[in-house]
Structures are given as structure tokens and as C-alpha cells.
Amino acid sequence: FLLGAEDEPGPLQKLLHVINRDHQPIIQAGSPVNLRELLSRYAKNTPNRQARVVRLLLRRYLYRESHVIRGPRIRSYAWSRRLVMDHPDIKNLIQRVAKERNKSEEKIRREVEKTFRHIAARFSFRTIKLMGWVCRFIWSRIYPGIDIGEEDLDRIRDAIRKGTPILIPSHRSHLDYLLLSSVCYENGLVLPHIVAGENLAFPPLGTLFRRCGAFFIRRSFKDEDIFPVVFQSYLRLLMRDEFPIEFFIEGGRSRSGKLLYPKIGVLGMIMDTVGHIRANRDILILPISISYEKIAEEKSYAKELAGTSKTKESVKGVLKATSVLLKRFGKVYIRVDEPISLKKEYTRLPKTWDVLEERQQKEILMGIAEKIIYGIGKKMLILPTGITAMALLSVGKRGVRLQEVQERAGRFDELLRAQGASSADSLSHGGWVVIQALNRFLGEKSIQKIEDEKGEIIRIEDDSRVTLEYYKNGLMHFVGHISMVASALLVEPDTEKAEELFLLQHYLLRYEFFSDPSTDTETLYREILPKLVDYGALEKTEDGYRCISRPRLKELAGLTQNFLESYLLTLRAASGYRARDISRKELPKKIQEFGKARLAIDEIVRPESLSIANIKNAIRAYREESILQFSIDGSGMKFDEKSLALYCEVLERLIYKSL
């Protein structure tokens, strides 16, 4: 009577909740109820009956609005564990694994419970309140503000009202884990449970993250029989209770600034649950972009792209990271794209999800993942650092005149806006934002200013081009394919022949840039040509198009030249190492070493071409096309010699015609 049952608190528990709770009131307004329209439906009923209908509807609406703020009831850890352990999938797992390993079911059960303990969150509002204060302090120290529009918050609120929201943000920084939860907390929204990498489960931060709603996943399920089943059962429980779920479809943080190729593992587990939700509820995916004016990890990313091994997360690393509190990183911008209804996607399936072949499931999941990545990319903002880095790196020269940088940044800005990119408020204040970004790069010693009789020259430090490339890449998904068309037209002025070169680049660089999945490649090419007319590079003629400004084509083509150099370097280096016993893991660093020598003798123009991320994507693309294959017996690599020669010849033409 005094303490109550586990799921039904008694008087003492209720009193403790009242004493300990956050007493700050939150006002949440829902959709209006049109009484005239409502009562017209019940015009034949008595006034008492009409009043009961209105009361029931208002109660339902009030519950829905309180759900937006409070969310579902937080179950205790013991309660959640019992629900997961009693699920038929877990019982079947215990029986199957016990039989396979020839162990008792009790031992396997203990192992399953240990796995659940490692995965599950331990949501605590006391910890949330503490972390809310900590985050407020951190953001006030390092950012002048976190910019999220009311429209973006409304999209999250609507998704909570309609069912289970799945928040999928871009992943640029470790701070991403805190940002969305912090924004939800400050705006009176239910906090999400976050799928976090197992590398963050180290003590004591793992315990803290669990209390903030994090639950942990392994990078790979290879040779795992227990972990994936327990993880999926826990995820299903959270989704059934309609907790918002946040996960990063790119997997890890993007070290290059580009949107990474999507990982569909968690998305597949979510899709498994869609068929079991209530008829009037939905699972809504919200693609979210997080744009940083300056990233806190830029130096560590540059080192990793140069070949340095990633430092394992630890308490020591966290303590060292507190040095960021002494710096300012500019604003952070959060934008939310239109939701993707998984219920609608489910209704389009040829068969029910569980009877589809694995190959069909992967194709459907990849289609949804491409929509998500495209939605995230659409909401990336034009920031001063990004547009200025594009203007600096669009040519391979070490120095560029300041006036040229400003003019080129203006042209790129217009092109990006024509592509649907939105601008941060700072870019509405005139051309001085380029100077502001240059001063920031100057303070970081990424560039130097040199003066002569004709004005200022911006000299780019070779070691800093990778860092500038990071900011440039944040906007490349808007213009990457336009750059490919420009490269093709520099080689083949005939638009029909140029289309073949564009299609080759589009396929080869498929892990670098994403386009609208609803637009086929041929249509994409035809849509780009008029944009080059608007840019001043082409003009429309009776027979088609002709080039009127090679410099304009070259500055556009220069945006993807480092990727083409990376892919050509990969072919040349791998071919040179063909007889050596080099493993797949060792090959990227060997290619980097090969590239450093070629950079020294100017066979490679752009130092950013040695990015380990580009090289790994190139190896993956060539292996999938069977141009490059590793021998099983460890005797080296094998090549499709005809394709090798073709790609080398085409890439050389695309690169050297753009110089």
C-alpha cells in the first residue's frame, strides 16, 4: 500500500516523485478543436452526449500533448529485462545456442542477461537534469548559439504525436550525441534513446551515457549469435512503447566532411517492427542535418586521413578534450527534413516483410537509406567556412588572389542556392563573411596572406588542405555531379560524348556523392546542362550546347579533381604492388606512401588526394567491379588488365584536361 507495485507507485513513491521532480512548468499547445464541425457530426445526440464526446476528445488530445513532453512511462531496468528475457525470440535463442555449444540453458541465459546489461539504457531524469546544466555550460563556452527553427521542432513534435519518431542526424562530431538531446530538453520535448557505438561504453562515461538514454551496439555482428538478437529485442521494446530513437545511419563520424555511405543494419531491425505496430500509429524517420561552422575534431581528423591510427576513446582522452572549452567554434545549425513514413513504405512491399528474400530486403532498405541520406544532405547549410574552402580548393594552385576567392565564392553561392541549398543567417550580411572565414583559417595557420602590387594573395599551406577539404566536402553533395559534367565537357565538348564520361564518373564515385534516388542518371545529366548555362560556362544553341568559358568549367571541374586523383593513384599504386604480399588492411597506407612520393615530384597536384577515406572508397569500388582482386593464397593482387588500362586512360584525360 505504501510503496506500491513496480509499475504502479503507492502514496510514498508518489510523494517522493513530487518532491524530486523538476518543478519548471512547460506549456504545450496542440491542434485546435473545431467545435462547430465536431458537434455537427453529433447533431442528433442530446447535449449531454455531445458534451461527453467533446470531453473524451479533449482528454485524448491532452494526453497526446503531454506525451510530446513526457514521452512514454520509463520502465525500470528490471522490468525491461524481464520483458526482453520472456520474449519468444530470446527463449528460442537460449535453447538454440545451448544446443549448439553443448551447454546448459541456465549458462546461456546468464550470458544473455549479461549482454542485455551491456546494451540497455538506464534512463534517469536526475542525471538528465544534471547533464542539461553541463551541456548548457559547454554550449555557452564553445558556441555562440545552437540554431534550430520552429518548423524543425514542429516536425519532431508531429512525429511524436503520430507514433515512434526515428531521428537520424548527420554524424560529424562526438558532440552530436549530446546536441539533439540537449535541444529536446531545452524545448520541452521527450528525449530520445540513442544508439551509440560500443567504443563509448567505457567506464565511467558509459554509465553516464546509459542514464542519458544511450544503448550500445557493436560495429559488426560477424560471428555473433547472442548480441544481435538481444539488441533487436530491446530495440523492439523501445519502439513498441513509442520512445523516440536516435541513430546515425552513416555508422561512424565522417572524417572527410562528406555524407558517408549508409549502413542499413539498425534500419533493417526497425523495419522488422513496422508490421507489428498498432493500426493508427506510424514509425516516422526524420533526416536531420547538423552543420558546424567549425568542427572541434578537425586536427584529429586531418591526422587520421593522413594515415594515423584512430585513438581509442578513454577517460584520458575525455580529459584532454576539455581543452575545447577554451576555444570558440562558431554556431551550430540543426535542420529537420520532411518525415519518411515507414508505414507507407511497408504498404508498397510486394510481400510481407518477413517473407521477402534477404536480397530483396537489402534493396528496399538501401532505397530508404538513400532517401534518408538525400534528405540529410538537402538540409545542410551554406556556411562561410564551407563556401570559402570551396573557392580556395577549386584550383590546384597553392596561392589564389583574394579578389578571385571572393568572386568565385559568390558564383558558388548562387549555384548552391539554385540547387536548393539554404544559407546560414551570416551569409545574408554581404561578402565580408568570406573575409571572416579567411581570418578564421588564418588564425588556425591553415593559410597565409601575402601582398604584392596587385593586392592580397591567399597561400594555402599544404598540410592544411585536408582540413579545408573537410569544410568544402560539407557542400559537395549539392555540386559534385555538376563538377563531374564540367570535367566531362572539358575532355569532350560534344554533350553526347561527354555524357558517357559523366556516367563513368557517376558510377566510379558512387561512394563519394549521392543524388536524388528518384532521378535516374540520364535525367540528372540533362538537368545539369541548363545549370551550366546559368553559371556562364555554356550557352544554348540550336544544335545543343557549346562552351563559352573554359575557366568557369575548370573551376567547377576542380571541385572533384582530388577524388579523381585519388582513384587514379589507387590504380597505379595497387598495380605497382601487384606481386607483393599486401593485405587489404595494409593496402590503403601503402598507397598513401606511394602517393607521397608522387606528390613530391608533382605527379599529383593536390595533397588532399592522399586522403585515406578516398583511397578506401576507391579500393571498395574497384573490388566490386572486379578490376582489383586479392589473391586468396596471399600471393598479391590480380587485375582485370583491360579495365585497368581503360580507367587509367580515362582518369588521366579527366585530370590533365582540367589543369
Side-chain angles (χ1 to χ4, degrees):
F1 172 76
L2 291 176
L3 298 178
E6 188 174 21
D7 202 39
E8 193 65 42
L12 278 182
Q13 264 190 287
K14 288 180 180 178
L15 182 61
L16 285 172
H17 287 324
V18 170
I19 293 169
N20 290 325
R21 74 183 179 190
D22 186 352
H23 290 276
Q24 181 182 355
I26 299 171
I27 298 172
Q28 170 70 32
S31 304
V33 178
N34 188 325
L35 279 180
R36 186 185 298 279
E37 182 183 329
L38 180 64
L39 294 177
S40 67
R41 297 181 190 175
Y42 298 90
K44 296 180 181 180
N45 293 92
T46 64
N48 283 342
R49 170 65 177 161
Q50 290 175 340
R52 282 198 297 272
V53 169
V54 174
R55 184 173 69 248
L56 286 170
L57 185 65
L58 287 175
R59 286 182 65 181
R60 191 179 305 158
Y61 274 38
L62 286 167
Y63 171 79
R64 189 175 71 177
E65 296 312 310
S66 69
H67 182 77
V68 170
I69 299 167
R70 295 183 199 152
R73 176 182 292 179
I74 302 293
R75 300 182 187 276
S76 70
Y77 168 77
W79 184 279
S80 299
R81 183 186 61 195
R82 186 161 60 247
L83 287 174
V84 169
M85 295 302 296
D86 289 344
H87 194 276
D89 286 355
I90 297 297
K91 290 181 176 179
N92 292 337
L93 171 72
I94 292 170
Q95 292 173 359
R96 176 173 58 80
V97 174
K99 191 174 182 180
E100 289 173 357
R101 297 185 186 177
N102 196 23
K103 292 183 178 179
S104 68
E105 290 187 9
E106 184 56 35
K107 280 187 177 180
I108 302 301
R109 183 179 181 83
R110 285 199 297 270
E111 187 176 341
V112 170
E113 286 184 348
K114 182 180 178 182
T115 302
F116 177 82
R117 188 163 59 249
H118 178 72
I119 292 171
R122 317 273 206 289
F123 217 103
S124 163
F125 281 109
R126 286 185 181 179
T127 307
I128 291 296
K129 191 173 181 180
L130 170 66
M131 286 301 294
W133 180 87
V134 171
C135 287
R136 212 173 290 133
F137 170 74
I138 293 173
W139 307 150
S140 66
R141 293 286 300 177
I142 65 177
Y143 300 132
I146 298 174
D147 185 305
I148 181 168
E150 196 57 40
E151 178 188 7
D152 304 295
L153 291 170
D154 282 341
R155 281 180 172 160
I156 298 174
R157 289 188 187 104
D158 288 342
I160 297 171
R161 291 184 185 112
K162 292 175 181 176
T164 304
I166 309 295
L167 312 178
I168 306 184
S170 55
H171 200 10
R172 297 288 183 272
S173 169
H174 273 318
L175 296 176
D176 297 339
Y177 291 106
L178 302 174
L179 269 172
L180 268 185
S181 294
S182 181
V183 165
C184 290
Y185 180 76
E186 295 296 336
N187 288 278
L189 292 171
V190 56
L191 271 65
H193 278 64
I194 306 166
V195 180
E198 196 178 41
N199 57 314
L200 297 176
F202 61 92
L205 282 189
T207 301
L208 181 63
F209 291 151
R210 284 189 178 90
R211 292 185 178 278
C212 293
F215 60 108
F216 295 99
I217 187 171
R218 289 179 182 163
R219 294 291 182 193
S220 171
F221 291 159
K222 188 178 179 181
D223 300 325
E224 293 277 359
D225 46 10
I226 290 176
F227 192 95
V229 180
V230 177
F231 182 88
Q232 183 163 8
S233 296
Y234 182 64
L235 179 64
R236 187 191 300 119
L237 175 66
L238 294 175
M239 292 180 64
R240 191 193 70 180
D241 287 346
E242 298 188 348
F243 283 102
I245 305 292
E246 177 187 342
F247 80 96
F248 301 97
I249 199 164
E250 297 171 89
R253 291 168 293 155
S254 172
R255 271 71 172 174
S256 64
K258 291 189 285 79
L259 290 168
L260 302 181
Y261 199 75
K263 308 288 192 300
I264 58 175
V266 176
L267 185 62
M269 294 180 182
I270 290 170
M271 200 66 177
D272 287 338
T273 309
V274 177
H276 304 288
I277 62 172
R278 286 176 286 169
N280 63 337
R281 308 303 283 165
D282 201 349
I283 295 175
L284 293 163
I285 288 178
L286 294 168
I288 300 172
S289 77
I290 303 177
S291 304
Y292 294 88
E293 284 190 350
K294 188 173 185 296
I295 200 79
E297 296 100 326
E298 64 176 28
K299 289 184 179 178
S300 65
Y301 288 173
K303 288 178 182 177
E304 288 179 35
L305 290 174
T308 304
S309 299
K310 177 180 175 290
T311 304
K312 189 177 179 181
E313 285 76 9
S314 64
V315 175
K316 183 180 177 182
V318 173
L319 293 174
K320 285 178 67 178
T322 55
S323 61
V324 301
L325 297 175
L326 304 175
K327 300 178 182 179
R328 301 288 280 179
F329 294 96
K331 265 190 173 183
V332 182
Y333 299 86
I334 299 175
R335 296 292 183 267
V336 183
D337 195 36
E338 294 179 4
I340 300 169
S341 168
L342 285 188
K343 200 168 184 180
K344 285 184 181 177
E345 297 290 339
Y346 204 82
T347 57
R348 297 179 185 139
L349 298 178
K351 303 175 185 176
T352 57
W353 180 255
D354 52 349
V355 300
L356 286 173
E357 294 178 7
E358 186 179 350
R359 176 186 54 80
Q360 292 175 301
Q361 288 183 346
K362 284 184 177 179
E363 286 178 4
I364 292 164
L365 289 172
M366 189 51 68
I368 297 171
E370 286 175 356
K371 288 182 184 178
I372 295 167
I373 290 289
Y374 181 70
I376 293 171
K378 263 197 317 184
K379 289 296 178 177
M380 289 289 183
L381 295 181
I382 308 171
L383 298 176
T385 45
I387 199 80
T388 305
M390 283 181 73
L392 288 169
L393 297 179
S394 61
V395 290
K397 296 184 292 183
R398 287 180 170 83
V400 192
R401 291 203 174 273
L402 175 60
Q403 184 180 352
E404 188 179 343
V405 173
Q406 290 177 306
E407 291 173 355
R408 194 177 295 141
R411 289 193 292 272
F412 286 157
D413 183 46
E414 288 182 19
L415 179 63
L416 287 164
R417 290 173 192 271
Q419 287 292 97
S422 301
S423 172
D425 293 340
S426 57
L427 281 181
S428 64
H429 300 311
W432 65 269
V433 295
V434 174
I435 301 296
Q436 184 187 40
L438 288 173
N439 287 337
R440 182 173 289 164
F441 292 145
L442 194 64
E444 295 290 330
K445 298 182 179 178
S446 299
I447 60 172
Q448 289 181 2
K449 279 188 180 179
I450 305 169
E451 290 196 26
D452 67 2
E453 68 280 359
K454 294 183 180 179
E456 291 185 341
I457 298 171
I458 307 299
R459 186 184 185 283
I460 309 163
E461 299 291 347
D462 285 353
D463 293 342
S464 300
R465 290 184 71 97
V466 172
T467 299
L468 295 179
E469 179 76 11
Y470 180 93
Y471 295 106
K472 168 200 152 191
N473 282 343
L475 296 171
M476 279 302 297
H477 56 278
F478 287 111
V479 294
H481 295 100
I482 296 175
S483 177
M484 293 178 202
V485 174
S487 293
L489 287 169
L490 286 171
V491 176
E492 290 287 357
D494 185 297
T495 51
E496 289 188 11
K497 292 180 180 178
E499 184 175 359
E500 295 178 13
L501 284 174
F502 166 71
L503 294 176
L504 182 143
Q505 291 177 82
H506 183 277
Y507 179 69
L508 186 61
L509 302 180
R510 59 190 177 277
Y511 295 121
E512 309 293 350
F513 307 109
F514 300 92
S515 56
D516 185 348
S518 62
T519 304
D520 62 79
T521 315
E522 289 77 11
T523 303
L524 178 64
Y525 178 76
R526 289 194 297 271
E527 289 176 350
I528 287 173
L529 293 174
K531 292 172 183 175
L532 292 176
V533 173
D534 295 337
Y535 193 76
L538 303 181
E539 75 171 359
K540 186 82 171 70
T541 64
E542 292 181 1
D543 300 327
Y545 296 88
R546 74 180 184 88
C547 174
I548 58 172
S549 176
R550 282 185 71 83
R552 294 281 174 95
L553 281 180
K554 282 187 176 183
E555 70 185 21
L556 285 173
L559 295 172
T560 49
Q561 286 301 296
N562 62 300
F563 296 99
L564 298 177
E565 281 194 343
S566 297
Y567 279 63
L568 179 59
L569 168 67
T570 300
L571 282 181
R572 285 177 172 172
S575 178
Y577 290 134
R578 67 173 68 206
R580 294 175 58 179
D581 182 11
I582 298 175
S583 67
R584 284 174 54 188
K585 189 176 180 180
E586 295 172 323
L587 184 59
K589 287 191 178 182
K590 290 291 184 183
I591 292 173
Q592 272 193 326
E593 291 171 9
F594 183 93
K596 287 174 184 175
R598 298 306 176 275
L599 186 65
I601 57 175
D602 290 332
E603 282 188 16
I604 291 176
V605 177
R606 293 169 169 82
E608 61 270 29
S609 303
L610 304 186
S611 164
I612 201 79
N614 294 1
I615 292 169
K616 285 181 178 179
N617 283 342
I619 293 170
R620 181 179 180 184
Y622 291 137
R623 287 188 68 242
E624 285 184 0
E625 210 172 338
S626 298
I627 295 173
L628 182 160
Q629 291 179 312
F630 289 89
S631 301
I632 299 173
D633 60 2
S635 59
M637 291 167 281
K638 296 179 181 178
F639 293 85
D640 179 333
E641 298 297 341
K642 186 177 179 181
S643 298
L644 174 66
L646 172 66
Y647 271 110
C648 283
E649 188 266 332
V650 171
L651 286 170
E652 284 172 3
R653 290 171 66 203
L654 288 167
I655 291 168
Y656 298 126
K657 283 282 186 178
S658 299
L659 295 176

